[in-house]
């Protein structure tokens, strides 16, 4: 069975990666006018980054509201925002207090939209023409972001949209081995999201992209419907972004999630330890979405969406099975246990195909960023190091999931 799962996974991976890389970029609609925009910024001890983020949003989307959701910070984040709000009516502060504070980002977002939508100002608005956009406290957008948001939400079936998350590469100037390792981690994190952006193009063609975090948008009328029926717009799992995409798809088969080519820049992890902790949360959060599988397959949503979301949901479990299969391989050989019989070329394909794809993505990434071509061999040679670091997250996530540990790890920031 493990062999069969591995074969099916590789086949799906091969088709998805090839299609993501080769399909032409979709035409993203743009509009200078349209939906009203409210940025939601969850913030826990973000004094290092919150001011430039607010300044960026005010400069690029001057007509947008900015709501900072302070989650009981003790580093003066709330004081910084309160000072900015006193000078600028477009900036608002909502502060959570203990015992409700510091639980997770999803709970903070759900609480904030409930509070904000109850205000007389917001109740007077047409919720079909309002959009909430979740931005991390280190998130930055360009001038192309708001026009793409407004263009996407001109389609009445679009209930959500996702910007293209990217990792800023010029935010750290460390020297020696710490600097070399930080730069290695940063460029590979950005390469990962470069690939995710191309995967999103493929999902966009099926009608429902995924929600991946920074720069996720939701139509306010959808949020109100979810709250009205007692369903959290951002579910209570450690990967609330992906779970919220599942909720959008399940709420109505006509719902669409658009993908945007506009980039949302953010800081990356500069050291292995925080990177692993971040990936543990992501992996465990994906594991927590397993109960969505029966609902997904009972729904009447697009079959292509069912297959893609299913693959995402079961990915950590398949990785676990394949890892166990690899570890048991010597025992199977010793006991002469036969697996699925495959020709010799299949083994060579399994070994070389991921490397071929990684080489292709590295070349595309280098071209997109207009980097020197020596970047390609650098990415290929350093990829095993990066992969070894991130793979540590799987057993740690399994342990946490098995023991019911659900503490929330907040990404660390650094000065810019």
């Amino acid at each position: 069975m493990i062999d069969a799962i591995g074969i099916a996974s590789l086949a799906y991976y091969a088709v998805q990666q090839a299609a993501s890389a080769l399909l032409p970029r979709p035409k993203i609609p743009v509009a200078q006018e349209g939906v009203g925009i409210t940025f939601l910024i969850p913030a826990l001890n973000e004094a290092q980054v919150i001011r430039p983020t607010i300044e960026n949003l005010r400069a690029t989307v001057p007509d947008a509201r900015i709501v900072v959701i302070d989650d009981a910070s003790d580093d003066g984040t709330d004081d910084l925002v309160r000072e900015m709000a006193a000078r600028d009516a477009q900036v608002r502060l909502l502060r959570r207090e203990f015992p409700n504070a510091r639980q997770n980002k999803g709970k903070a977002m759900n609480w904030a939209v409930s509070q904000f939508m109850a205000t007389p100002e917001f109740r007077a608005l047409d919720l079909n023409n309002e959009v909430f956009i979740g931005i991390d406290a280190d998130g930055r957008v360009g001038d192309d972001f708001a026009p793409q948001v407004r263009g996407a939400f001109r389609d009445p079936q679009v209930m959500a949209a996702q910007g293209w998350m990217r990792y800023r590469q010029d935010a750290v100037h460390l020297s020696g081995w710490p600097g070399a390792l930080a730069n290695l981690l940063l460029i590979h994190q950005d390469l990962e999201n470069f690939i995710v952006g191309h995967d999103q193009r493929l999902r966009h063609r099926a009608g429902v992209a995924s929600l991946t975090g920074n720069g996720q948008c939701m139509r306010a009328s959808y949020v109100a419907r979810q709250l009205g029926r007692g369903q959290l717009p951002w579910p209570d799992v450690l990967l609330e972004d992906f779970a919220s995409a599942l909720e959008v798809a399940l709420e109505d088969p006509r719902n669409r999630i658009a993908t945007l080519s506009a980039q949302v820049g953010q800081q990356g992890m500069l050291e292995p330890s925080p990177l692993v902790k971040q990936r543990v949360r992501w992996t465990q959060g994906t594991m927590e979405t397993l109960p969505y599988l029966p609902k997904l397959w009972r729904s009447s949503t697009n079959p292509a969406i069912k297959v893609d979301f299913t693959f995402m949901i079961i990915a950590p479990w398949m990785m676990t099975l394949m890892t166990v299969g690899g570890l048991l391989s010597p025992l199977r050989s010793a006991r002469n246990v036969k697996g699925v019989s495959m020709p010799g070329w299949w083994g060579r394909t399994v070994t070389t195909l991921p490397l071929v794809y990684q080489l292709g993505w590295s070349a595309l990434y280098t071209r997109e960023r207009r980097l020197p071509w020596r970047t390609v061999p650098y990415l290929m040679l350093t990829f095993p190091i990066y992969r070894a670091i991130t793979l540590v997250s799987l057993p740690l996530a399994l342990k946490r999931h098995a023991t019911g540990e659900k503490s929330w790890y907040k990404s660390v920031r650094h000065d810019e």
Side-chain angles (χ1 to χ4, degrees):
M1 183 185 75
I2 293 177
D3 291 341
I5 290 174
I7 293 168
S9 300
L10 183 65
Y12 181 84
Y13 165 80
V15 173
Q16 182 208 44
Q17 292 289 286
S20 298
L22 298 175
L23 282 175
R25 178 181 299 182
K27 186 176 181 180
I28 306 295
V30 297
Q32 298 304 319
E33 297 180 352
V35 294
I37 290 175
T38 301
F39 287 105
L40 302 174
I41 309 177
L44 170 58
N45 292 336
E46 302 285 7
Q48 290 173 290
V49 294
I50 193 66
R51 185 187 296 275
T53 295
I54 294 175
E55 290 173 346
N56 165 259
L57 297 177
R58 291 295 290 124
T60 54
V61 196
D63 58 342
R65 308 173 195 89
I66 299 173
V67 180
V68 178
I69 312 157
D70 185 83
D71 215 11
S73 297
D74 53 22
D75 71 339
T77 297
D78 57 327
D79 293 330
L80 286 171
V81 176
R82 196 174 287 111
E83 173 192 329
M84 299 183 78
R87 301 194 310 266
D88 187 343
Q90 294 295 94
V91 179
R92 327 287 173 87
L93 172 67
L94 293 176
R95 181 173 166 88
R96 285 164 64 79
E97 301 290 353
F98 293 110
N100 297 317
R102 299 193 185 187
Q103 296 181 0
N104 61 47
K105 186 171 74 172
K107 288 186 177 181
M109 298 276 279
N110 290 318
W111 173 83
V113 293
S114 299
Q115 296 289 310
F116 195 64
M117 292 176 72
T119 62
E121 171 194 1
F122 214 81
R123 290 170 65 181
L125 299 174
D126 178 2
L127 298 187
N128 286 315
N129 290 322
E130 296 293 326
V131 169
F132 291 116
I133 303 178
I135 289 283
D136 290 350
D138 62 341
R140 312 287 157 75
V141 303
D143 293 332
D144 58 342
F145 183 74
Q148 288 194 18
V149 171
R150 291 183 167 124
F153 281 92
R154 280 194 167 182
D155 181 346
Q157 299 305 323
V158 169
M159 293 298 134
Q162 177 64 55
W164 193 355
M165 288 172 51
R166 299 296 293 269
Y167 289 95
R168 296 194 291 274
Q169 301 294 299
D170 57 353
V172 59
H173 302 284
L174 300 175
S175 59
W177 283 109
L181 181 58
N183 287 319
L184 183 156
L185 296 180
L186 280 175
I187 197 168
H188 278 284
Q189 288 171 80
D190 193 48
L191 174 57
E192 274 185 337
N193 272 31
F194 173 78
I195 298 171
V196 168
H198 283 74
D199 293 342
Q200 288 279 74
R201 296 178 187 179
L202 183 60
R203 297 183 183 116
H204 182 83
R205 290 176 179 272
V208 178
S210 185
L211 296 175
T212 57
N214 218 346
Q216 61 177 275
C217 318
M218 282 191 191
R219 196 182 293 271
S221 56
Y222 162 78
V223 172
R225 288 199 304 272
Q226 289 290 89
L227 292 173
R229 65 190 186 95
Q231 179 62 50
L232 298 175
W234 289 273
D236 188 18
V237 299
L238 291 173
L239 195 63
E240 76 291 333
D241 309 310
F242 177 47
S244 61
L246 288 164
E247 288 290 343
V248 172
L250 292 171
E251 195 246 358
D252 189 322
R254 297 169 297 179
N255 288 350
R256 295 187 62 243
I257 301 178
T259 189
L260 312 177
S261 62
Q263 297 184 8
V264 182
Q266 64 183 58
Q267 292 185 353
M269 301 295 105
L270 306 183
E271 298 175 353
S273 178
L275 177 64
V276 168
K277 291 177 181 178
Q278 181 193 66
R279 299 310 167 94
V280 167
R281 176 172 69 81
W282 292 358
T283 304
Q284 185 184 357
T286 305
M287 292 174 173
E288 291 175 338
T289 63
L290 189 62
Y292 277 100
L293 265 184
K295 302 177 189 176
L296 183 63
W297 282 95
R298 286 196 302 265
S299 73
S300 54
T301 193
N302 187 317
I305 297 166
K306 290 182 180 180
V307 172
D308 184 58
F309 278 10
T310 295
F311 187 79
M312 295 169 70
I313 290 170
I314 66 176
W317 303 106
M318 289 193 300
M319 182 64 72
T320 300
L321 285 175
M322 288 187 286
T323 301
V324 170
L327 293 174
L328 292 179
S329 183
L331 180 61
R332 292 166 63 185
S333 298
R335 297 195 172 192
N336 200 29
V337 177
K338 301 291 186 182
V340 176
S341 180
M342 301 297 293
W345 62 263
W346 176 258
R348 292 190 293 273
T349 300
V350 169
T351 303
T352 60
L353 189 62
L355 294 176
V356 170
Y357 279 137
Q358 191 67 23
L359 177 61
W361 285 121
S362 298
L364 290 172
Y365 176 78
T366 298
R367 185 178 67 179
E368 185 236 29
R369 287 196 54 207
R370 299 179 181 177
L371 298 171
W373 282 105
R374 63 177 179 272
T375 306
V376 174
Y378 169 79
L379 289 169
M380 294 300 294
L381 290 171
T382 55
F383 176 71
I385 300 172
Y386 181 76
R387 190 62 176 155
I389 292 171
T390 55
L391 279 177
V392 175
S393 63
L394 181 61
L396 296 177
L398 282 167
K399 178 184 177 182
R400 282 171 54 93
H401 189 66
T403 58
E405 174 61 50
K406 289 194 65 172
S407 58
W408 177 268
Y409 173 73
K410 177 198 170 294
S411 299
V412 296
R413 310 293 187 207
H414 53 265
D415 292 324
E416 295 185 341

